[in-house]
Amino acid sequence: GIEASALHLVWPFAVHFILGQSYLWLGFVLAFTMLFSALMRAYLPVSFFSFSPALHRIAMGSTWVLRLMVATPAGILFANWYTLIVSPQHEVGSDEPAENATFIDEFSTLKEMASAAGRLLLSLITALGVIAMDVPSAVIVSFLIAALAAMYSGRLTRAQ
């Protein structure tokens, strides 16, 4: 949930400001990211880092640290593409109910509740960070929290 909130709320906000609040550049960068993502999904069925659980956790956390260092449109593309290469299954947004939504079990319910709580928590932290600090500092804190959550959730998924 924390990663999903950072990816769908904070990252687009940060990208918009990195691009100088230009909707033209935002569309250009997102279009190239989507095009490359569609091409890579066909040729990259498994993550390069799936052979080592520890390396996979570090790689997932590094995607958020890499996003902290982005300052140009090319950097945004590289950060998005690196995330795709590290985790082609896109574990960040894997909200799927059990049995193709034919019934709701306890595990799916608890997983969705935890995911929603994580999204709410990061949204509140980001909002309070914007109020208490400046926007770039709030984005940095949000990305660091997302990096820690990515490494911890990678640990949990490998333990199952």
Side-chain angles (χ1 to χ4, degrees), residues 117-149:
R119 286 192 297 267
L120 179 65
L121 179 66
L122 189 71
S123 298
L124 287 173
I125 289 172
T126 303
L128 291 174
V130 168
I131 292 169
M133 305 178 285
D134 56 345
V135 173
S137 299
V139 169
I140 289 170
V141 169
S142 298
F143 284 176
L144 291 175
I145 291 171
L148 292 173

PDB file of all heavy atoms in Angstrom, residues 117-149:
ATOM      1  N   ALA A 117      -4.489   0.739   4.417  1.00  0.00           N
ATOM      2  CA  ALA A 117      -3.892   1.429   5.564  1.00  0.00           C
ATOM      3  C   ALA A 117      -2.529   2.011   5.184  1.00  0.00           C
ATOM      4  O   ALA A 117      -2.197   3.132   5.585  1.00  0.00           O
ATOM      5  CB  ALA A 117      -3.759   0.470   6.740  1.00  0.00           C
ATOM      6  N   GLY A 118      -1.753   1.280   4.404  1.00  0.00           N
ATOM      7  CA  GLY A 118      -0.459   1.782   3.955  1.00  0.00           C
ATOM      8  C   GLY A 118      -0.602   2.993   3.053  1.00  0.00           C
ATOM      9  O   GLY A 118       0.145   3.973   3.174  1.00  0.00           O
ATOM     10  N   ARG A 119      -1.574   2.944   2.136  1.00  0.00           N
ATOM     11  CA  ARG A 119      -1.805   4.092   1.260  1.00  0.00           C
ATOM     12  C   ARG A 119      -2.229   5.314   2.073  1.00  0.00           C
ATOM     13  O   ARG A 119      -1.761   6.432   1.827  1.00  0.00           O
ATOM     14  CB  ARG A 119      -2.870   3.758   0.218  1.00  0.00           C
ATOM     15  CG  ARG A 119      -2.371   2.834  -0.872  1.00  0.00           C
ATOM     16  CD  ARG A 119      -3.336   2.738  -2.038  1.00  0.00           C
ATOM     17  NE  ARG A 119      -4.627   2.183  -1.682  1.00  0.00           N
ATOM     18  CZ  ARG A 119      -4.944   0.898  -1.766  1.00  0.00           C
ATOM     19  NH1 ARG A 119      -4.066   0.023  -2.196  1.00  0.00           N
ATOM     20  NH2 ARG A 119      -6.150   0.483  -1.439  1.00  0.00           N
ATOM     21  N   LEU A 120      -3.108   5.112   3.019  1.00  0.00           N
ATOM     22  CA  LEU A 120      -3.561   6.212   3.872  1.00  0.00           C
ATOM     23  C   LEU A 120      -2.414   6.763   4.704  1.00  0.00           C
ATOM     24  O   LEU A 120      -2.248   7.990   4.814  1.00  0.00           O
ATOM     25  CB  LEU A 120      -4.699   5.738   4.777  1.00  0.00           C
ATOM     26  CG  LEU A 120      -5.258   6.774   5.750  1.00  0.00           C
ATOM     27  CD1 LEU A 120      -5.922   7.906   4.980  1.00  0.00           C
ATOM     28  CD2 LEU A 120      -6.245   6.120   6.695  1.00  0.00           C
ATOM     29  N   LEU A 121      -1.601   5.878   5.269  1.00  0.00           N
ATOM     30  CA  LEU A 121      -0.483   6.313   6.099  1.00  0.00           C
ATOM     31  C   LEU A 121       0.502   7.167   5.315  1.00  0.00           C
ATOM     32  O   LEU A 121       0.896   8.251   5.763  1.00  0.00           O
ATOM     33  CB  LEU A 121       0.232   5.089   6.697  1.00  0.00           C
ATOM     34  CG  LEU A 121       1.441   5.376   7.565  1.00  0.00           C
ATOM     35  CD1 LEU A 121       1.011   6.099   8.831  1.00  0.00           C
ATOM     36  CD2 LEU A 121       2.157   4.083   7.905  1.00  0.00           C
ATOM     37  N   LEU A 122       0.898   6.724   4.129  1.00  0.00           N
ATOM     38  CA  LEU A 122       1.852   7.514   3.347  1.00  0.00           C
ATOM     39  C   LEU A 122       1.225   8.821   2.870  1.00  0.00           C
ATOM     40  O   LEU A 122       1.898   9.853   2.825  1.00  0.00           O
ATOM     41  CB  LEU A 122       2.405   6.729   2.159  1.00  0.00           C
ATOM     42  CG  LEU A 122       3.554   7.461   1.469  1.00  0.00           C
ATOM     43  CD1 LEU A 122       4.796   7.440   2.348  1.00  0.00           C
ATOM     44  CD2 LEU A 122       3.852   6.889   0.130  1.00  0.00           C
ATOM     45  N   SER A 123      -0.049   8.800   2.530  1.00  0.00           N
ATOM     46  CA  SER A 123      -0.720  10.041   2.125  1.00  0.00           C
ATOM     47  C   SER A 123      -0.729  11.049   3.272  1.00  0.00           C
ATOM     48  O   SER A 123      -0.469  12.243   3.059  1.00  0.00           O
ATOM     49  CB  SER A 123      -2.143   9.753   1.667  1.00  0.00           C
ATOM     50  OG  SER A 123      -2.140   8.917   0.549  1.00  0.00           O
ATOM     51  N   LEU A 124      -1.007  10.587   4.482  1.00  0.00           N
ATOM     52  CA  LEU A 124      -0.993  11.485   5.643  1.00  0.00           C
ATOM     53  C   LEU A 124       0.408  11.997   5.939  1.00  0.00           C
ATOM     54  O   LEU A 124       0.591  13.186   6.222  1.00  0.00           O
ATOM     55  CB  LEU A 124      -1.564  10.766   6.873  1.00  0.00           C
ATOM     56  CG  LEU A 124      -3.059  10.542   6.877  1.00  0.00           C
ATOM     57  CD1 LEU A 124      -3.469   9.680   8.070  1.00  0.00           C
ATOM     58  CD2 LEU A 124      -3.794  11.870   6.910  1.00  0.00           C
ATOM     59  N   ILE A 125       1.407  11.116   5.871  1.00  0.00           N
ATOM     60  CA  ILE A 125       2.789  11.542   6.116  1.00  0.00           C
ATOM     61  C   ILE A 125       3.220  12.573   5.083  1.00  0.00           C
ATOM     62  O   ILE A 125       3.851  13.579   5.419  1.00  0.00           O
ATOM     63  CB  ILE A 125       3.732  10.318   6.120  1.00  0.00           C
ATOM     64  CG1 ILE A 125       3.489   9.478   7.368  1.00  0.00           C
ATOM     65  CG2 ILE A 125       5.191  10.749   6.038  1.00  0.00           C
ATOM     66  CD1 ILE A 125       4.210   8.157   7.378  1.00  0.00           C
ATOM     67  N   THR A 126       2.855  12.342   3.823  1.00  0.00           N
ATOM     68  CA  THR A 126       3.214  13.292   2.768  1.00  0.00           C
ATOM     69  C   THR A 126       2.516  14.633   2.989  1.00  0.00           C
ATOM     70  O   THR A 126       3.138  15.696   2.863  1.00  0.00           O
ATOM     71  CB  THR A 126       2.859  12.723   1.392  1.00  0.00           C
ATOM     72  OG1 THR A 126       3.512  11.465   1.219  1.00  0.00           O
ATOM     73  CG2 THR A 126       3.288  13.660   0.285  1.00  0.00           C
ATOM     74  N   ALA A 127       1.235  14.606   3.313  1.00  0.00           N
ATOM     75  CA  ALA A 127       0.495  15.851   3.546  1.00  0.00           C
ATOM     76  C   ALA A 127       1.063  16.609   4.745  1.00  0.00           C
ATOM     77  O   ALA A 127       1.254  17.839   4.670  1.00  0.00           O
ATOM     78  CB  ALA A 127      -0.982  15.545   3.765  1.00  0.00           C
ATOM     79  N   LEU A 128       1.348  15.897   5.825  1.00  0.00           N
ATOM     80  CA  LEU A 128       1.936  16.565   6.982  1.00  0.00           C
ATOM     81  C   LEU A 128       3.337  17.072   6.677  1.00  0.00           C
ATOM     82  O   LEU A 128       3.740  18.127   7.168  1.00  0.00           O
ATOM     83  CB  LEU A 128       1.954  15.609   8.182  1.00  0.00           C
ATOM     84  CG  LEU A 128       0.589  15.261   8.767  1.00  0.00           C
ATOM     85  CD1 LEU A 128       0.725  14.202   9.852  1.00  0.00           C
ATOM     86  CD2 LEU A 128      -0.105  16.504   9.294  1.00  0.00           C
ATOM     87  N   GLY A 129       4.073  16.344   5.848  1.00  0.00           N
ATOM     88  CA  GLY A 129       5.401  16.792   5.443  1.00  0.00           C
ATOM     89  C   GLY A 129       5.354  18.056   4.618  1.00  0.00           C
ATOM     90  O   GLY A 129       6.196  18.941   4.767  1.00  0.00           O
ATOM     91  N   VAL A 130       4.360  18.165   3.738  1.00  0.00           N
ATOM     92  CA  VAL A 130       4.208  19.374   2.930  1.00  0.00           C
ATOM     93  C   VAL A 130       3.847  20.561   3.825  1.00  0.00           C
ATOM     94  O   VAL A 130       4.320  21.683   3.611  1.00  0.00           O
ATOM     95  CB  VAL A 130       3.149  19.166   1.828  1.00  0.00           C
ATOM     96  CG1 VAL A 130       2.759  20.470   1.176  1.00  0.00           C
ATOM     97  CG2 VAL A 130       3.667  18.182   0.787  1.00  0.00           C
ATOM     98  N   ILE A 131       3.038  20.312   4.839  1.00  0.00           N
ATOM     99  CA  ILE A 131       2.656  21.392   5.757  1.00  0.00           C
ATOM    100  C   ILE A 131       3.834  21.795   6.641  1.00  0.00           C
ATOM    101  O   ILE A 131       4.109  22.979   6.821  1.00  0.00           O
ATOM    102  CB  ILE A 131       1.451  20.956   6.630  1.00  0.00           C
ATOM    103  CG1 ILE A 131       0.205  20.818   5.761  1.00  0.00           C
ATOM    104  CG2 ILE A 131       1.215  21.942   7.773  1.00  0.00           C
ATOM    105  CD1 ILE A 131      -0.963  20.156   6.453  1.00  0.00           C
ATOM    106  N   ALA A 132       4.555  20.806   7.192  1.00  0.00           N
ATOM    107  CA  ALA A 132       5.623  21.095   8.144  1.00  0.00           C
ATOM    108  C   ALA A 132       6.938  21.497   7.474  1.00  0.00           C
ATOM    109  O   ALA A 132       7.707  22.264   8.043  1.00  0.00           O
ATOM    110  CB  ALA A 132       5.853  19.873   9.040  1.00  0.00           C
ATOM    111  N   MET A 133       7.192  20.945   6.280  1.00  0.00           N
ATOM    112  CA  MET A 133       8.462  21.216   5.583  1.00  0.00           C
ATOM    113  C   MET A 133       8.124  21.779   4.211  1.00  0.00           C
ATOM    114  O   MET A 133       6.987  22.113   3.940  1.00  0.00           O
ATOM    115  CB  MET A 133       9.251  19.911   5.412  1.00  0.00           C
ATOM    116  CG  MET A 133       9.506  19.149   6.694  1.00  0.00           C
ATOM    117  SD  MET A 133      10.369  17.601   6.418  1.00  0.00           S
ATOM    118  CE  MET A 133       9.092  16.560   5.751  1.00  0.00           C
ATOM    119  N   ASP A 134       9.122  21.816   3.356  1.00  0.00           N
ATOM    120  CA  ASP A 134       8.858  22.195   1.976  1.00  0.00           C
ATOM    121  C   ASP A 134       8.515  20.946   1.166  1.00  0.00           C
ATOM    122  O   ASP A 134       8.676  19.818   1.625  1.00  0.00           O
ATOM    123  CB  ASP A 134      10.036  22.952   1.370  1.00  0.00           C
ATOM    124  CG  ASP A 134      11.337  22.161   1.460  1.00  0.00           C
ATOM    125  OD1 ASP A 134      11.388  21.196   2.212  1.00  0.00           O
ATOM    126  OD2 ASP A 134      12.291  22.537   0.762  1.00  0.00           O
ATOM    127  N   VAL A 135       8.024  21.140  -0.049  1.00  0.00           N
ATOM    128  CA  VAL A 135       7.560  20.028  -0.880  1.00  0.00           C
ATOM    129  C   VAL A 135       8.683  19.047  -1.217  1.00  0.00           C
ATOM    130  O   VAL A 135       8.494  17.830  -1.089  1.00  0.00           O
ATOM    131  CB  VAL A 135       6.859  20.552  -2.159  1.00  0.00           C
ATOM    132  CG1 VAL A 135       6.520  19.418  -3.106  1.00  0.00           C
ATOM    133  CG2 VAL A 135       5.605  21.325  -1.789  1.00  0.00           C
ATOM    134  N   PRO A 136       9.865  19.508  -1.632  1.00  0.00           N
ATOM    135  CA  PRO A 136      10.918  18.540  -1.941  1.00  0.00           C
ATOM    136  C   PRO A 136      11.298  17.654  -0.746  1.00  0.00           C
ATOM    137  O   PRO A 136      11.546  16.463  -0.911  1.00  0.00           O
ATOM    138  CB  PRO A 136      12.104  19.411  -2.379  1.00  0.00           C
ATOM    139  CG  PRO A 136      11.491  20.657  -2.881  1.00  0.00           C
ATOM    140  CD  PRO A 136      10.286  20.866  -2.018  1.00  0.00           C
ATOM    141  N   SER A 137      11.317  18.221   0.452  1.00  0.00           N
ATOM    142  CA  SER A 137      11.637  17.423   1.640  1.00  0.00           C
ATOM    143  C   SER A 137      10.559  16.382   1.911  1.00  0.00           C
ATOM    144  O   SER A 137      10.857  15.249   2.289  1.00  0.00           O
ATOM    145  CB  SER A 137      11.795  18.324   2.864  1.00  0.00           C
ATOM    146  OG  SER A 137      12.855  19.229   2.670  1.00  0.00           O
ATOM    147  N   ALA A 138       9.307  16.743   1.702  1.00  0.00           N
ATOM    148  CA  ALA A 138       8.216  15.796   1.894  1.00  0.00           C
ATOM    149  C   ALA A 138       8.294  14.658   0.880  1.00  0.00           C
ATOM    150  O   ALA A 138       8.037  13.492   1.209  1.00  0.00           O
ATOM    151  CB  ALA A 138       6.872  16.510   1.790  1.00  0.00           C
ATOM    152  N   VAL A 139       8.672  14.979  -0.355  1.00  0.00           N
ATOM    153  CA  VAL A 139       8.829  13.950  -1.386  1.00  0.00           C
ATOM    154  C   VAL A 139       9.978  13.015  -1.021  1.00  0.00           C
ATOM    155  O   VAL A 139       9.871  11.789  -1.160  1.00  0.00           O
ATOM    156  CB  VAL A 139       9.034  14.591  -2.772  1.00  0.00           C
ATOM    157  CG1 VAL A 139       9.461  13.572  -3.801  1.00  0.00           C
ATOM    158  CG2 VAL A 139       7.765  15.296  -3.218  1.00  0.00           C
ATOM    159  N   ILE A 140      11.076  13.569  -0.541  1.00  0.00           N
ATOM    160  CA  ILE A 140      12.227  12.745  -0.140  1.00  0.00           C
ATOM    161  C   ILE A 140      11.836  11.795   0.978  1.00  0.00           C
ATOM    162  O   ILE A 140      12.150  10.596   0.930  1.00  0.00           O
ATOM    163  CB  ILE A 140      13.411  13.647   0.278  1.00  0.00           C
ATOM    164  CG1 ILE A 140      13.998  14.336  -0.953  1.00  0.00           C
ATOM    165  CG2 ILE A 140      14.482  12.857   1.020  1.00  0.00           C
ATOM    166  CD1 ILE A 140      15.008  15.418  -0.641  1.00  0.00           C
ATOM    167  N   VAL A 141      11.147  12.292   1.980  1.00  0.00           N
ATOM    168  CA  VAL A 141      10.710  11.439   3.091  1.00  0.00           C
ATOM    169  C   VAL A 141       9.776  10.344   2.582  1.00  0.00           C
ATOM    170  O   VAL A 141       9.903   9.175   2.959  1.00  0.00           O
ATOM    171  CB  VAL A 141      10.028  12.287   4.193  1.00  0.00           C
ATOM    172  CG1 VAL A 141       9.325  11.416   5.208  1.00  0.00           C
ATOM    173  CG2 VAL A 141      11.052  13.180   4.872  1.00  0.00           C
ATOM    174  N   SER A 142       8.851  10.703   1.696  1.00  0.00           N
ATOM    175  CA  SER A 142       7.916   9.715   1.146  1.00  0.00           C
ATOM    176  C   SER A 142       8.643   8.623   0.373  1.00  0.00           C
ATOM    177  O   SER A 142       8.324   7.437   0.499  1.00  0.00           O
ATOM    178  CB  SER A 142       6.901  10.395   0.230  1.00  0.00           C
ATOM    179  OG  SER A 142       6.145  11.323   0.944  1.00  0.00           O
ATOM    180  N   PHE A 143       9.626   8.998  -0.442  1.00  0.00           N
ATOM    181  CA  PHE A 143      10.372   8.014  -1.225  1.00  0.00           C
ATOM    182  C   PHE A 143      11.224   7.121  -0.332  1.00  0.00           C
ATOM    183  O   PHE A 143      11.365   5.927  -0.596  1.00  0.00           O
ATOM    184  CB  PHE A 143      11.239   8.698  -2.271  1.00  0.00           C
ATOM    185  CG  PHE A 143      10.471   9.199  -3.465  1.00  0.00           C
ATOM    186  CD1 PHE A 143      11.112   9.910  -4.452  1.00  0.00           C
ATOM    187  CD2 PHE A 143       9.116   8.978  -3.605  1.00  0.00           C
ATOM    188  CE1 PHE A 143      10.426  10.375  -5.556  1.00  0.00           C
ATOM    189  CE2 PHE A 143       8.415   9.448  -4.697  1.00  0.00           C
ATOM    190  CZ  PHE A 143       9.075  10.142  -5.677  1.00  0.00           C
ATOM    191  N   LEU A 144      11.800   7.673   0.734  1.00  0.00           N
ATOM    192  CA  LEU A 144      12.581   6.842   1.650  1.00  0.00           C
ATOM    193  C   LEU A 144      11.692   5.846   2.389  1.00  0.00           C
ATOM    194  O   LEU A 144      12.066   4.687   2.575  1.00  0.00           O
ATOM    195  CB  LEU A 144      13.360   7.719   2.633  1.00  0.00           C
ATOM    196  CG  LEU A 144      14.512   8.527   2.019  1.00  0.00           C
ATOM    197  CD1 LEU A 144      15.135   9.448   3.064  1.00  0.00           C
ATOM    198  CD2 LEU A 144      15.555   7.603   1.422  1.00  0.00           C
ATOM    199  N   ILE A 145      10.511   6.284   2.766  1.00  0.00           N
ATOM    200  CA  ILE A 145       9.556   5.358   3.407  1.00  0.00           C
ATOM    201  C   ILE A 145       9.141   4.275   2.421  1.00  0.00           C
ATOM    202  O   ILE A 145       9.046   3.099   2.770  1.00  0.00           O
ATOM    203  CB  ILE A 145       8.336   6.136   3.952  1.00  0.00           C
ATOM    204  CG1 ILE A 145       8.744   6.999   5.139  1.00  0.00           C
ATOM    205  CG2 ILE A 145       7.211   5.181   4.347  1.00  0.00           C
ATOM    206  CD1 ILE A 145       7.683   7.962   5.606  1.00  0.00           C
ATOM    207  N   ALA A 146       8.904   4.655   1.160  1.00  0.00           N
ATOM    208  CA  ALA A 146       8.548   3.667   0.131  1.00  0.00           C
ATOM    209  C   ALA A 146       9.687   2.681  -0.105  1.00  0.00           C
ATOM    210  O   ALA A 146       9.445   1.488  -0.325  1.00  0.00           O
ATOM    211  CB  ALA A 146       8.169   4.370  -1.170  1.00  0.00           C
ATOM    212  N   ALA A 147      10.939   3.157  -0.056  1.00  0.00           N
ATOM    213  CA  ALA A 147      12.087   2.257  -0.222  1.00  0.00           C
ATOM    214  C   ALA A 147      12.142   1.239   0.902  1.00  0.00           C
ATOM    215  O   ALA A 147      12.342   0.038   0.667  1.00  0.00           O
ATOM    216  CB  ALA A 147      13.384   3.063  -0.277  1.00  0.00           C
ATOM    217  N   LEU A 148      11.933   1.690   2.129  1.00  0.00           N
ATOM    218  CA  LEU A 148      11.929   0.763   3.265  1.00  0.00           C
ATOM    219  C   LEU A 148      10.764  -0.228   3.162  1.00  0.00           C
ATOM    220  O   LEU A 148      10.915  -1.415   3.436  1.00  0.00           O
ATOM    221  CB  LEU A 148      11.850   1.542   4.581  1.00  0.00           C
ATOM    222  CG  LEU A 148      13.079   2.376   4.923  1.00  0.00           C
ATOM    223  CD1 LEU A 148      12.813   3.229   6.153  1.00  0.00           C
ATOM    224  CD2 LEU A 148      14.297   1.481   5.125  1.00  0.00           C
ATOM    225  N   ALA A 149       9.613   0.268   2.730  1.00  0.00           N
ATOM    226  CA  ALA A 149       8.452  -0.617   2.573  1.00  0.00           C
ATOM    227  C   ALA A 149       8.695  -1.638   1.471  1.00  0.00           C
ATOM    228  O   ALA A 149       8.297  -2.805   1.596  1.00  0.00           O
ATOM    229  CB  ALA A 149       7.198   0.201   2.260  1.00  0.00           C
TER     230      ALA A 149
END
